[in-house]
Amino acid sequence: FFLEVGIHLETERRQTQQSSVEIFVHLDDKESDFCICSSRMSQSMRRLTVSAKGLTSNSGTYIWKGGLEQVIQSTDHVIENTFGWTAIREIVCSQCLAEKSCKSACVWKKDYIKRCLKEGRPTVWCQDGHKVELSVICGKLPNGMHSNDRIIERNPSRRIQHCISSVVIVGLWDHNTKSLRSLGSGFVVDNNKGLIITAAHTLIEMEKTENFGEVHGRPRIGVIDSKTKEPFWYSAEIVVRNQDEVDACVLRITQETMCDFKSRRVGKLKIATDGCENDENVWILGCNQKESALVHQPITINIESPRGYVMWSFMNMQPKRDRRSFQPRQEIVIVCPNATFGHSGGPCVNREGNVVGILSRGDPIDNKRFLVPSNQLKLLYKQATEQK
């Protein structure tokens, strides 16, 4: 049978949105197209599968509490009371189901998963090399771990704090309204040449409209004073961009303000050469501002460094159909719920303080954030340094 359960979720901005959990229960033999891991079954065996689809945020709680846990308990109760059997439980790799045929998906024995939970392991590997969070596939957190243990970092290391001096505010100045139309973050990649990398969507029209690729204003760079927390503003120009495939661009401080910019002795960040690995801890550095800060001056801003971890990276292999639209070439997916408004374009650094990507976008309900990876940033930076 198929069951769809509606649930109400509260977003990061405390807005209520409706979502749903889809639950599918079916009994299959070895020859069925829906049979999980049928290669390990004999002809006489039958497999009862209970599966669900929904939001995986909050450690999979929305799926398990949205109906999956009750359906599994009810199924066990029916089997035991009707036939007197105790079902042999196996757990399927969710990544296998997403990437290949269910007939060849990998499974784990329930006892193995229980042992991993008892040992406090947050993730488990399948035979095909997929790394999956235990909380998502079994609805429970490992011993000694709370839902935010791997995510929130109140006191980042000194190395991360040192990186904050290289973070700047990026805005788009509207000459008609005499205000900033857009506001985000960025980082200094070359303080000698005055080069800054930020998210392209902060400055460039990225929506699929007739104005795609246009810039409606003058880029402004704000360097935060460490004492007053107020920015010193500098004019800038976009020197390198690729809004069709990369949500990033390179800015350069204009000549008339370059001398004053250098006098601030702003730091710079190094772009990582090796990228990042799954489950690696990372920090997003950005300016936390409220939307009202777009029109009020002066602006008092604190640069924050919420911690997250890498889930996976992927490359878009589908050919682009519409030239006047944005289709990301490659992205990194991380979990970082504390990245908020104004962090867009901010650098995401590893423990060494090297930039593994910049924040491009996030899911309004889920805790996932999407980064422009370091290899794409290096290509843009190389083009900027080659210009005269």
Side-chain angles (χ1 to χ4, degrees):
F1 63 87
F2 175 81
L3 177 66
E4 185 173 4
V5 182
I7 56 177
H8 291 278
L9 306 175
E10 188 177 85
T11 68
E12 294 175 6
R13 297 187 179 184
R14 296 189 175 180
Q15 297 176 342
T16 302
Q17 294 191 10
Q18 186 172 355
S19 183
S20 63
V21 177
E22 298 177 359
I23 302 173
F24 184 35
V25 181
H26 51 103
L27 180 65
D28 300 304
D29 57 23
K30 181 181 175 66
E31 304 302 326
S32 172
D33 292 334
F34 297 106
C35 188
I36 303 293
C37 195
S38 58
S39 59
R40 296 175 52 189
M41 295 172 56
S42 64
Q43 290 293 339
S44 60
M45 290 181 64
R46 297 292 185 270
R47 187 186 293 277
L48 180 65
T49 303
V50 181
S51 59
K53 183 174 70 173
L55 293 175
T56 58
S57 56
N58 197 22
S59 302
T61 301
Y62 296 142
I63 295 178
W64 286 92
K65 299 302 181 183
L68 178 60
E69 187 175 39
Q70 290 179 306
V71 170
I72 291 178
Q73 291 175 354
S74 300
T75 303
D76 286 339
H77 179 76
V78 169
I79 292 175
E80 185 174 353
N81 286 273
T82 303
F83 303 102
W85 301 339
T86 300
I88 300 174
R89 181 81 62 82
E90 290 182 326
I91 300 173
V92 189
C93 173
S94 56
Q95 290 297 315
C96 284
L97 293 177
E99 297 181 9
K100 62 181 184 179
S101 170
C102 63
K103 297 174 74 70
S104 57
C106 297
V107 296
W108 299 280
K109 295 292 186 182
K110 181 182 177 181
D111 291 341
Y112 173 75
I113 296 298
K114 289 176 64 176
R115 185 166 65 250
C116 292
L117 287 169
K118 187 176 181 180
E119 293 173 355
R121 295 168 56 180
T123 57
V124 63
W125 294 84
C126 80
Q127 294 179 348
D128 284 353
H130 297 134
K131 194 175 187 180
V132 183
E133 290 187 69
L134 281 173
S135 58
V136 174
I137 61 174
C138 64
K140 297 179 181 179
L141 289 170
N143 282 350
M145 178 176 287
H146 302 284
S147 60
N148 289 332
D149 279 354
R150 301 173 60 223
I151 299 174
I152 299 176
E153 176 71 23
R154 296 294 183 185
N155 298 305
S157 65
R158 292 182 180 179
R159 186 172 296 174
I160 304 301
Q161 289 180 331
H162 180 73
C163 296
I164 289 178
S165 63
S166 305
V167 179
V168 297
I169 308 173
V170 178
L172 193 62
W173 181 257
D174 190 324
H175 293 285
N176 296 326
T177 62
K178 305 298 181 183
S179 64
L180 293 168
R181 298 183 61 238
S182 182
L183 207 61
S185 302
F187 74 97
V188 179
V189 66
D190 191 327
N191 49 11
N192 186 43
K193 296 182 178 180
L195 297 179
I196 291 95
I197 293 181
T198 187
H201 73 262
T202 303
L203 307 172
I204 303 169
E205 180 60 59
M206 301 282 284
E207 297 294 331
K208 187 178 178 181
T209 65
E210 295 180 355
N211 299 324
F212 178 79
E214 296 182 6
V215 180
H216 301 285
R218 184 69 181 270
R220 301 286 292 273
I221 303 298
V223 177
I224 309 297
D225 184 273
S226 59
K227 295 181 180 179
T228 65
K229 304 300 181 183
E230 294 183 1
F232 292 90
W233 293 101
Y234 300 93
S235 298
E237 57 184 348
I238 302 175
V239 292
V240 177
R241 58 174 172 165
N242 180 12
Q243 66 270 6
D244 291 350
E245 299 179 310
V246 182
D247 185 15
C249 62
V250 182
L251 307 176
R252 181 169 56 206
I253 301 295
T254 56
Q255 289 296 327
E256 59 265 24
T257 57
M258 181 66 79
C259 291
D260 187 68
F261 175 79
K262 290 183 177 181
S263 68
R264 298 290 173 187
R265 296 187 177 182
V266 184
K268 66 177 181 179
L269 294 179
K270 180 182 178 182
I271 302 176
T273 56
D274 298 329
C276 56
E277 297 180 358
N278 292 349
D279 213 35
E280 179 181 355
N281 287 322
V282 290
W283 288 259
I284 293 180
L285 311 181
C287 306
N288 186 14
Q289 326 115 60
K290 296 181 180 179
E291 295 185 17
S292 58
L294 296 179
V295 294
H296 295 293
Q297 297 287 345
I299 302 174
T300 302
I301 293 176
N302 290 317
I303 299 178
E304 298 182 336
S305 55
R307 177 186 174 189
Y309 66 94
V310 178
M311 294 190 68
W312 64 77
S313 61
F314 66 92
M315 181 173 292
N316 192 346
M317 303 301 293
Q318 296 181 354
K320 188 176 180 183
R321 298 179 179 179
D322 190 347
R323 294 183 178 180
R324 296 184 64 81
S325 65
F326 170 65
Q327 182 174 306
R329 179 189 302 166
Q330 185 179 0
E331 288 184 309
I332 298 172
V333 183
I334 70 170
V335 173
C336 188
N338 294 338
T340 60
F341 178 83
H343 286 167
S344 290
C348 183
V349 300
N350 56 21
R351 289 188 177 276
E352 286 69 41
N354 297 329
V355 179
V356 298
I358 64 170
L359 180 60
S360 171
R361 57 192 177 91
D363 192 295
I365 296 179
D366 212 329
N367 291 327
K368 294 184 180 65
R369 303 293 184 263
F370 297 83
L371 309 179
V372 180
S374 59
N375 61 336
Q376 302 298 317
L377 302 180
K378 291 181 71 174
L379 291 174
L380 296 178
Y381 174 54
K382 181 181 179 181
Q383 295 177 39
T385 55
E386 292 174 349
Q387 293 186 7
K388 295 182 179 180

